[in-house]
C-alpha cells in the first residue's frame, strides 16, 4: 500500500459514536480508504478526579476510584487499598485477602465478558453480546448481594472491607461458576472461531512485542503480543502467589501473534483462569475472621510517598500517593493502563483500512473513564 | 481457487455452528429468557441475610432517609460525604429556665442520647449523591440510612424516586427552624425526655 494514492481526507469519528466505547474523538487522516494517521482526542470525560482527591480524605478517595474505570470498580478499589496499606504498613487478615481476590476475579470476568461481547457487537454479531451481558448480570447480582451496589461498590476499604460477605454468598458464587463454565465454551464457539470474526480480526492491527513494550502497553494487550507478563505472577500482590493459574499469551492462533484475534482470544482464556482462581480462593478461604480487624481509626499515613501497582482487567494500574502526614493526600496519581493502550492506536492502526480501525480499537478494550479520569 | 472454495466451506461450517448454538437456545428457552416485563414484573431483590448483627450493616444502595427524631446534629455524616451533598445547620438547644438544671436538650433519641442541638437544616441533595454509603457508617444514632434492605423495618425500599422537577430531589428533612418549630421541639422534648 502506498503506491496508489487516493483522495486525502480528514474524518472525525466520535465523540458520540457507539464503537468508541465512551466519549472519544478520533481524527483520522485517510488516503483513499487507507488510514494514514490517527489522532485520538480525549478529555470529554475528564472529571478532575486526581485533583478532587487532593481535597478529600483518604477514605473518601475510594468512591472516586470506583468511578475511574467504571467497568472494573473492584479492581480499582483493590489497587488503591493495596497502595495505602503498603504506605501505612497495615497487614490485613487472610479472610479479607481471600474475599478481595474473589471479588477482583469476579470483576475481571465481568469486565472481559463485556469486552468480548462488545467486540462481537463492533464487528456485527449481536447475539453473543446479549449472552455476555446476561452472564455479566449474574456477577453484578452477586456484587449487589454483597455490598448493595451493582457497579460502583466502595467495598474495599483501607485495612479491610466495608462489611463481610453475606451468608450464602459462597454457595451462590459456586452455583454461578457451575452455570458459567459451559457458557464460556459456548461464547467461544459462537464467536471466536466464527469465520466472519476471524476474517475481520486475524492478521489485522498486529502489535509486535517491541512496539507493545516501548509504548508501555500492559495487561491482556501485552500478553496477546506474546509477552508473558502478569503482575499477579511476576510481582504478586495480596495473596496471588498462593494460587495456581496460567498466564495466557497470544500464539497467533488464527494468524500473526499480536493481532486483534489474539487480543480477543486471550481474554476468553483469562476468563477461564479467573474461574480457576475463584474456585481455589473459595476452597482455601478461612471461615472465621473479622473484616474490620485492621481498620485504622483514622487514616493518617506517615509522611512519604508510595507507588504500588496491581493487575486490573485492562493492565497494570499504578497508584502514586504522596502523603504529607495529614488526613488528605497531597497528590494522588493513577497510572492508567487504558491510556497507554489508546496511545499505541496510531502506531498499529495506520496503514489499515478505515473499517479496521474500529476493529482494532475494540480489541484494545479501552475505558474512557479511566483514560480521562 | 482452492482457497476460495475452502474459505466458503469454513465460513458456512462455522456460521452453521453458530446457528446451531442459537437454535438450541430457541428450544431451550427455560434458561434463555432474560427479558423482564419491568413495571409488571420485577427482579427479585436479593435477600441480604448477613447472618449476624444485621442492624449495623447498611448493605443497600437506595434513597437516603434520615430519622430526624433521632438525629443529634453531630455532623459526622456531613463530614464523611465526599461530594458535600449533605448540608446541616444546628443551633444550641435553648436554656429552659434556672430551676430545672440539666434539661438543655430537646429530647432523647431511641439510643438514649440527649439531643443537645436543634437541627435547623438538614438537606440532602440526591442529585449530587453518589450512593457511596459513606455517610451511613459513622452515624452514632444510626438514623441516616438507605431505605430498604436491612432497614426495611425502619423505612420500606423506595428506589423509584424520580421527580419532574430537579429541586424536588433536594430532600429537606429538618423541620423549619422558625420560632414555632423550636417551641414545638421543646414541647416534644419535654414529653419524651427529662
Ligand atoms: S451516600 Fe455518599 S454521596 Fe450520598 S450523601 Fe451519603 S456520603 Fe454523600
Ligand atoms: S451522623 Fe447521624 S446523628 Fe450525626 S448529624 Fe448525621 S444523621 Fe444526625
Amino acid at each position: 500500500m502506498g503506491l496508489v494514492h487516493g483522495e486525502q481526507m480528514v474524518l472525525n469519528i466520535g465523540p458520540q459514536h457507539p464503537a468508541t466505547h465512551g466519549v472519544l474523538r478520533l481524527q483520522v487522516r485517510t488516503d483513499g480508504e487507507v488510514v494514514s494517521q490517527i489522532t485520538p482526542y480525549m478529555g470529554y470525560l475528564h472529571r478532575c478526579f486526581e485533583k478532587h482527591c487532593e481535597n478529600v480524605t483518604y477514605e473518601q478517595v475510594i468512591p472516586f476510584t470506583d468511578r475511574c474505570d467504571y467497568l472494573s470498580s473492584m479492581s480499582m478499589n483493590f489497587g488503591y487499598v493495596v497502595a495505602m496499606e503498603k504506605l501505612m504498613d497495615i497487614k490485613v487478615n487472610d479472610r479479607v485477602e481471600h474475599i478481595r481476590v474473589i471479588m477482583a476475579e469476579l470483576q475481571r470476568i465481568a469486565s472481559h465478558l463485556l469486552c468480548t461481547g462488545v467486540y462481537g457487537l463492533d464487528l456485527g454479531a449481536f447475539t453473543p453480546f446479549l449472552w455476555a451481558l446476561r452472564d455479566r448480570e449474574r456477577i453484578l447480582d452477586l456484587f449487589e448481594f454483597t455490598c448493595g451496589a451493582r457497579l460502583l461498590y466502595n467495598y474495599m476499604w483501607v485495612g479491610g472491607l466495608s462489611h463481610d460477605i453475606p451468608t450464602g454468598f459462597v454457595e451462590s458464587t459456586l452455583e454461578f461458576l457451575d452455570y458459567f463454565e459451559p457458557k464460556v465454551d459456548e461464547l467461544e464457539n459462537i464467536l471466536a472461531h466464527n469465520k466472519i470474526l476471524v476474517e475481520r480480526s486475524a492478521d489485522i492491527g498486529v502489535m509486535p512485542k517491541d512496539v507493545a513494550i516501548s509504548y508501555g502497553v500492559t495487561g491482556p494487550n501485552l500478553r496477546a503480543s506474546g509477552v508473558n507478563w502478569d503482575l499477579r505472577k511476576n510481582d504478586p500482590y495480596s495473596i496471588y502467589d498462593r494460587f495456581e493459574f496460567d498466564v495466557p499469551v497470544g500464539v497467533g492462533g488464527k494468524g500473526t501473534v499480536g493481532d486483534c484475534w489474539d487480543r480477543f482470544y486471550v481474554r476468553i482464556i483469562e476468563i477461564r483462569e479467573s474461574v480457576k482462581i475463584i474456585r481455589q480462593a473459595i476452597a482455601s478461604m478461612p471461615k472465621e475472621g473479622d473484616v474490620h480487624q485492621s481498620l485504622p481509626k483514622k487514616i493518617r499515613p506517615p509522611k512519604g510517598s508510595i507507588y504500588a501497582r496491581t493487575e486490573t482487567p485492562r493492565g497494570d494500574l499504578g497508584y502514586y500517593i504522596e502523603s504529607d502526614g495529614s488526613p488528605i493526600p497531597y497528590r494522588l496519581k493513577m497510572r492508567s493502563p487504558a491510556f497507554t493502550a489508546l496511545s499505541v492506536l496510531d502506531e498499529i492502526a495506520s496503514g489499515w483500512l478505515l473499517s479496521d480501525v474500529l476493529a482494532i480499537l475494540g480489541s484494545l478494550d479501552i475505558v474512557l473513564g479511566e483514560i480521562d479520569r | 481457487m482452492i482457497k476460495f472454495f475452502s474459505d466458503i466451506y469454513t465460513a458456512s461450517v462455522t456460521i452453521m455452528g453458530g446457528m446451531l448454538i442459537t437454535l438450541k437456545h430457541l428450544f431451550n428457552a427455560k434458561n434463555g429468557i432474560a427479558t423482564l416485563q419491568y413495571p409488571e414484573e420485577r427482579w427479585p431483590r436479593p435477600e441480604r441475610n448477613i447472618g449476624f448483627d444485621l442492624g449495623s450493616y447498611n448493605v443497600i444502595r437506595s434513597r437516603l432517609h434520615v430519622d430526624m427524631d433521632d438525629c443529634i446534629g453531630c455532623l459526622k455524616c456531613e463530614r464523611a460525604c465526599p461530594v458535600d451533598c449533605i448540608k446541616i445547620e444546628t443551633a444550641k438547644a435553648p436554656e429552659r429556665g434556672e430551676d430545672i438544671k440539666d434539661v438543655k436538650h430537646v429530647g432523647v433519641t431511641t439510643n438514649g442520647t440527649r439531643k443537645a442541638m436543634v437541627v435547623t437544616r438538614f438537606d440532602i441533595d440526591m442529585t449530587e449523591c453518589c450512593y457511596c454509603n459513606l455517610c451511613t457508617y459513622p452515624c452514632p444514632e444510626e438514623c441516616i440510612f438507605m431505605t430498604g434492605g436491612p432497614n426495611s423495618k425502619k423505612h420500606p425500599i423506595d428506589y423509584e424516586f424520580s421527580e419532574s422537577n430537579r429541586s424536588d430531589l433536594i430532600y429537606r428533612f429538618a423541620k423549619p427552624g422558625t420560632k414555632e418549630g423550636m417551641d414545638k421541639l421543646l414541647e416534644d422534648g419535654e414529653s419524651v425526655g427529662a
Side-chain angles (χ1 to χ4, degrees), chain A residues 161-185:
Chain A
L161 304 166
S162 69
H163 38 256
D164 209 334
I165 49 173
T167 38
F169 177 82
V170 169
E171 291 76 24
S172 343
T173 311
L174 286 175
E175 192 190 314
F176 163 72
L177 292 183
D178 291 339
Y179 153 88
F180 180 60
E181 266 168 327
K183 299 285 178 197
V184 188
D185 300 336

Side-chain angles (χ1 to χ4, degrees), chain A residues 56 60 63 67 127 131 134 141 144-149 152-154 157 162-163 166-167 186 189 193 195-196, chain B residues 7 10-11 14-15 18 21-22 25 43 46-51 57 59-61 79-82 130 132 134 137:
Chain A
V56 295
Q60 293 174 346
R67 282 155 180 80
T127 313
W131 290 0
R134 176 198 61 199
D141 281 344
E144 187 186 3
F145 186 30
T146 317
C147 63
L152 308 162
Y153 312 106
N154 185 17
W157 282 2
S162 69
H163 38 256
T167 38
E186 206 176 73
N189 284 336
H193 302 300
K195 183 74 180 163
I196 300 173
Chain B
D7 271 359
T10 37
T14 50
I15 288 171
I21 298 176
T22 30
H25 274 259
W43 193 251
E47 281 278 317
R48 283 186 189 73
N49 182 8
I50 300 288
Y57 283 89
V59 275
I60 188 144
R61 308 293 169 92
R79 263 181 249 127
C81 180
C130 65
C132 64
L134 278 177
Y137 296 102

Side-chain angles (χ1 to χ4, degrees), chain A residues 15-251:
Chain A
Q16 314 281 349
H17 191 286
T20 52
H21 297 204
V23 217
L24 166 73
R25 179 159 70 95
L26 297 175
Q27 199 183 59
V28 184
R29 243 167 232 289
T30 57
D31 178 357
E33 232 192 303
V34 179
V35 172
S36 55
Q37 198 200 2
I38 300 178
T39 321
Y41 287 92
M42 62 248 186
Y44 292 94
L45 216 53
H46 186 65
R47 292 152 294 170
C48 278
F49 278 168
E50 287 179 3
K51 192 71 193 166
H52 262 305
C53 293
E54 293 168 22
N55 294 300
V56 295
T57 60
Y58 284 101
E59 299 96 320
Q60 293 174 346
V61 169
I62 298 174
F64 286 109
T65 65
D66 276 340
R67 282 155 180 80
C68 287
D69 184 351
Y70 39 78
L71 296 180
S72 56
S73 301
M74 282 285 183
S75 312
M76 297 296 282
N77 287 356
F78 201 5
Y80 177 70
V81 296
V82 164
M84 279 306 290
E85 279 160 15
K86 229 164 135 187
L87 180 63
M88 294 179 69
D89 210 9
I90 299 175
K91 277 220 73 71
V92 294
N93 60 26
D94 260 15
R95 187 172 167 85
V96 175
E97 295 279 25
H98 277 84
I99 296 175
R100 281 184 185 172
V101 167
I102 293 170
M103 292 300 167
E105 293 307 315
L106 280 175
Q107 183 73 84
R108 191 180 310 274
I109 295 176
S111 173
H112 282 348
L113 271 179
L114 192 75
C115 169
T116 46
V118 170
Y119 194 53
L121 188 66
D122 281 351
L123 301 186
F126 195 64
T127 313
F129 166 69
L130 294 179
W131 290 0
L133 279 191
R134 176 198 61 199
D135 296 339
R136 175 172 175 266
E137 205 66 8
R138 303 266 310 237
I139 300 179
L140 298 190
D141 281 344
L142 284 176
F143 286 147
E144 187 186 3
F145 186 30
T146 317
C147 63
R150 295 173 68 79
L151 285 172
L152 308 162
Y153 312 106
N154 185 17
Y155 181 57
M156 296 182 195
W157 282 2
V158 180
L161 304 166
S162 69
H163 38 256
D164 209 334
I165 49 173
T167 38
F169 177 82
V170 169
E171 291 76 24
S172 343
T173 311
L174 286 175
E175 192 190 314
F176 163 72
L177 292 183
D178 291 339
Y179 153 88
F180 180 60
E181 266 168 327
K183 299 285 178 197
V184 188
D185 300 336
E186 206 176 73
L187 188 69
E188 181 184 337
N189 284 336
I190 197 172
L191 204 54
H193 302 300
N194 186 298
K195 183 74 180 163
I196 300 173
L197 189 120
V198 171
E199 282 294 308
R200 287 292 312 269
S201 59
D203 286 328
I204 308 275
V206 180
M207 174 155 54
K209 244 186 214 182
D210 53 332
V211 171
I213 292 174
S214 60
Y215 271 87
V217 176
T218 48
N221 296 333
L222 177 68
R223 292 194 277 281
S225 299
V227 185
N228 190 333
W229 177 258
D230 188 326
L231 287 179
R232 291 174 294 168
K233 272 262 193 271
N234 296 72
D235 182 10
Y237 55 95
S238 190
I239 49 165
Y240 274 109
D241 44 353
R242 297 189 205 165
F243 301 121
E244 288 285 323
F245 62 99
D246 302 320
V247 177
V249 289
V251 288

